[in-house]
Amino acid sequence: MLSIDNGTQSVRALLFDLHGNLAAKTQVHLEPYYSDHPGWAEHKAEGYWQAVCLACQRLWATTSISRSQVKGVAVTTQRGTVVNVDSEGKPLRAAITWLDQRRTEQVPPLGGLWKAAFKVAGVDGTIDYFRREAEINWIKAHQPDVWNRTGKFLLLSGYLNYCLSGRYADSTGSQVAYVPFDYKRHKWAGARDWKWQALAIRPDMLPELVEPGTVIGVITQQASDETGIPQGLPLVAAAADKACEVIGAGCLEPHIGCLSYGTTATINTTSKKYVEVTPFIPPYPAAIPGAYSTEVQIFRGYWMVNWFKEQFGDREQAVATERGMAPEALFDSLVNAVPPGSMGLMLQPYWSPGIKVPGPEAKGAMIGFGDVHTRAHMYRAILEGLAYALREGKERIEKRSGVPITELRVAGGGSQSDAAMQLTADIFGLPAARAHIYETSGLGAAIAVAAGLGLHGSFREAISAMTRPGRVFQPDPAHRKTYEQLYKRVYLKMYKRLQPMYQEIAAITGYPEAL
């Protein structure tokens, strides 16, 4: 099975077998997003497709596996990145990525009944946030010529599906964005849904939706010429990268929590039950048909780890280069040189505003500094703060779903750190199992191919056959005791006590904007 995984920092072409083993891999690093204005984050849409083509071409050049052995292909991508194409499928402007923070005050008006209903329910602020943040409304208001020429408004997954098959179709499991999607029924919103008033878009501008595991079409001659993927190979609908990561880590039941230590850090469970962890914020579609991902996310997540390395990690980066080794081992040494609790240094990782938890005023905080603290303490405090925040998310999921989370699976780049894995087990007080392979989102897409083409009997059979826990980290009782007190007596109180001061900061400085 061929998985194309288009993440934020790279595109990977991956071949998996039916036992979930990674048989071949190539990676093409993406140029960073660019910003014509503060807060913007754009990337040339054609650049994503060119990277897919290059990754596939390199794959065939570096593996002895015959292309005739490949049975199907699926695409998984970063969430919330949008592409406008014209009537011939050509991008009209750069893709607006999920990191983009622009917003507009020029939004379509809501009917009086909807406005009154939202006010009574206490969610009028959330709905206004949705309307201002929607890329659809920004483009309509500020680039009307582009909007008037838009034939289809696609997520990145839908754009790549079109490039491969010539068909405007996307997976229900990929619909995580400001689009008129019914998150409960996994289809486009009904004609009377408020989203059609809130968003300046017509139904004919959206692609057809299909469930994960559905054959979207076949690889066209043009796509074959550009990628080397055999013409006529089935293209199967997968899901967004986080959703694929969840099933790629083997998290099929609601008592298994999937931690993703990626650019955005998340905790997810898979459930057949519709559960809003935060009231009026829907669960995202899962990578299996008819299921939901109950997700809590820390928007900047492990981006903060990269920030630390860029700002304070020159020494480790230089030594690693000199010794010809991965710098991660040296950063783990930094963590292990500091006791659990970082000698009182506590971090709240809300480095980007949220909708409700945290709210739009949110900022990050680090408290407890003393003359004993070094870069190493700061680094460990970052990892601990992310784990605290995700544990809080776990408890919110448990409270709303009524299902205790008793197992942890950890995926994403941060899962490769033994130190991060150990402190995760300690803070959660649960065994933390690393996924058996690093490329869990790509594996989730391969599972969709295996299930959709009948190579395994069902999604459940495919997940059982293709996933398994890797190394398991057990909580240390002494460390757990320290973390339990810091979490309950300090961390859980930080946001509530700092929130009024965040609002004052915003009022004085104007950042974050539009509170």
Side-chain angles (χ1 to χ4, degrees):
M1 288 81 64
L2 170 62
S3 294
I4 295 170
D5 186 351
N6 191 155
T8 304
Q9 301 179 53
S10 69
V11 171
R12 297 178 295 284
L14 311 157
L15 288 176
F16 293 93
D17 66 20
L18 287 171
H19 301 290
N21 298 312
L22 181 59
K25 167 185 174 178
T26 54
Q27 183 173 20
V28 174
H29 291 281
L30 293 168
E31 291 294 322
Y33 65 81
Y34 60 88
S35 301
D36 288 339
H37 298 276
W40 290 21
E42 299 185 341
H43 194 285
K44 289 185 178 179
E46 299 93 332
Y48 287 127
W49 172 241
Q50 290 163 4
V52 167
C53 294
L54 183 57
C56 290
Q57 291 163 359
R58 288 181 179 174
L59 184 71
W60 312 126
T62 56
T63 181
S64 60
I65 298 171
S66 169
R67 299 181 212 189
S68 64
Q69 294 177 261
V70 181
K71 300 302 181 185
V73 59
V75 168
T76 182
T77 70
Q78 56 185 276
R79 306 183 303 192
T81 292
V82 299
V83 181
N84 297 64
V85 299
D86 63 17
S87 58
E88 297 181 351
K90 304 296 184 184
L92 289 166
R93 68 176 319 284
I96 300 178
T97 78
W98 67 275
L99 289 163
D100 194 278
Q101 296 180 42
R102 78 188 72 190
R103 57 176 62 92
T104 181
E105 298 301 320
Q106 300 176 46
V107 297
L110 282 176
L113 288 176
W114 280 119
K115 289 175 68 175
F118 291 141
K119 189 168 185 178
V120 169
V123 296
D124 48 333
T126 302
I127 301 302
D128 286 343
Y129 181 93
F130 175 92
R131 295 157 73 207
R132 293 197 307 266
E133 291 286 326
E135 297 86 0
I136 289 169
N137 291 341
W138 190 93
I139 297 170
K140 170 72 173 177
H142 298 279
Q143 296 180 337
D145 179 60
V146 169
W147 191 252
N148 291 336
R149 290 188 290 135
T150 298
K152 293 291 181 183
F153 184 80
L154 307 170
L155 297 185
L156 178 58
S157 49
Y159 172 66
L160 295 183
N161 286 338
Y162 171 76
C163 291
L164 289 165
S165 70
R167 182 182 174 195
Y168 292 116
D170 203 4
S171 171
T172 54
S174 295
Q175 304 312 301
V176 181
Y178 297 108
V179 290
F181 183 67
D182 184 331
Y183 285 90
K184 191 168 189 177
R185 296 172 180 81
H186 289 179
K187 59 183 182 181
W188 293 127
R192 298 182 179 180
D193 194 293
W194 63 271
K195 297 183 189 73
W196 294 110
Q197 290 186 30
L199 299 170
I201 195 169
R202 304 184 311 272
D204 63 276
M205 298 171 73
L206 296 166
E208 180 183 350
L209 292 181
V210 298
E211 290 186 329
T214 302
V215 176
I216 290 174
V218 298
I219 303 302
T220 65
Q221 180 64 63
Q222 181 176 343
S224 178
D225 291 343
E226 295 184 44
T227 64
I229 303 171
Q231 181 186 2
L233 197 70
L235 175 65
V236 179
D241 55 4
K242 290 290 185 185
C244 283
E245 199 169 60
V246 173
I247 64 168
C251 301
L252 186 60
E253 304 295 340
H255 72 278
I256 305 175
C258 180
L259 299 179
S260 174
Y261 283 161
T263 306
T264 292
T266 59
I267 179 167
N268 280 278
T269 63
T270 302
S271 176
K272 291 287 186 178
K273 182 181 177 183
Y274 180 89
V275 176
E276 294 179 352
V277 178
T278 303
F280 300 102
I281 304 297
Y284 294 143
I288 57 176
Y292 305 94
S293 281
T294 51
E295 177 176 299
V296 174
Q297 64 177 252
I298 310 302
F299 185 70
R300 284 288 180 176
Y302 262 67
W303 172 91
M304 294 168 60
V305 173
N306 291 329
W307 169 86
F308 176 88
K309 292 176 180 178
E310 290 174 1
Q311 300 298 323
F312 304 105
D314 289 353
R315 188 183 310 167
E316 285 73 23
Q317 303 274 19
V319 171
T321 301
E322 183 182 317
R323 296 180 183 176
M325 61 186 293
E328 281 68 25
L330 296 176
F331 284 107
D332 266 10
S333 298
L334 275 183
V335 178
N336 293 327
V338 173
S342 301
M343 299 181 73
L345 198 61
M346 297 283 291
L347 178 129
Q348 179 190 273
Y350 296 154
W351 288 25
S352 290
I355 302 174
K356 300 191 83 170
V357 182
E361 80 295 325
K363 287 183 174 291
M366 192 175 283
I367 64 171
F369 273 107
D371 59 3
V372 299
H373 291 125
T374 66
R375 295 180 313 123
H377 294 86
M378 183 183 289
Y379 187 55
R380 185 174 184 112
I382 289 173
L383 298 181
E384 290 173 339
L386 289 168
Y388 288 139
L390 292 173
R391 175 176 166 177
E392 185 181 14
K394 164 189 172 287
E395 292 172 359
R396 287 168 52 202
I397 292 171
E398 291 173 324
K399 183 177 180 180
R400 297 287 294 184
S401 68
V403 179
I405 294 173
T406 57
E407 296 181 38
L408 295 179
R409 304 282 175 85
V410 189
S415 68
Q416 302 309 293
S417 164
D418 287 355
M421 291 293 300
Q422 184 59 56
L423 68 83
T424 297
D426 295 340
I427 287 174
F428 278 79
L430 291 171
R434 182 182 283 148
H436 83 276
I437 61 169
Y438 170 70
E439 298 288 357
T440 41
S441 54
L443 177 57
I447 287 170
V449 175
L453 298 181
L455 305 174
H456 284 299
S458 64
F459 269 91
R460 181 172 292 274
E461 289 183 23
I463 292 169
S464 177
M466 297 173 69
T467 70
R468 50 202 170 271
R471 180 180 171 186
V472 180
F473 293 76
Q474 298 292 339
D476 179 289
H479 297 174
R480 180 181 176 184
K481 183 178 179 180
T482 299
Y483 283 130
E484 192 72 12
Q485 294 182 73
L486 287 170
Y487 174 70
K488 289 184 175 178
R489 293 167 59 183
V490 182
Y491 181 82
L492 288 178
K493 299 176 181 179
M494 284 179 69
Y495 180 60
K496 185 176 181 180
R497 294 188 179 184
L498 291 170
Q499 186 181 28
M501 285 182 279
Y502 293 154
Q503 293 170 336
E504 293 295 341
I505 291 171
I508 294 167
T509 66
Y511 181 82
E513 299 174 2
L515 292 182

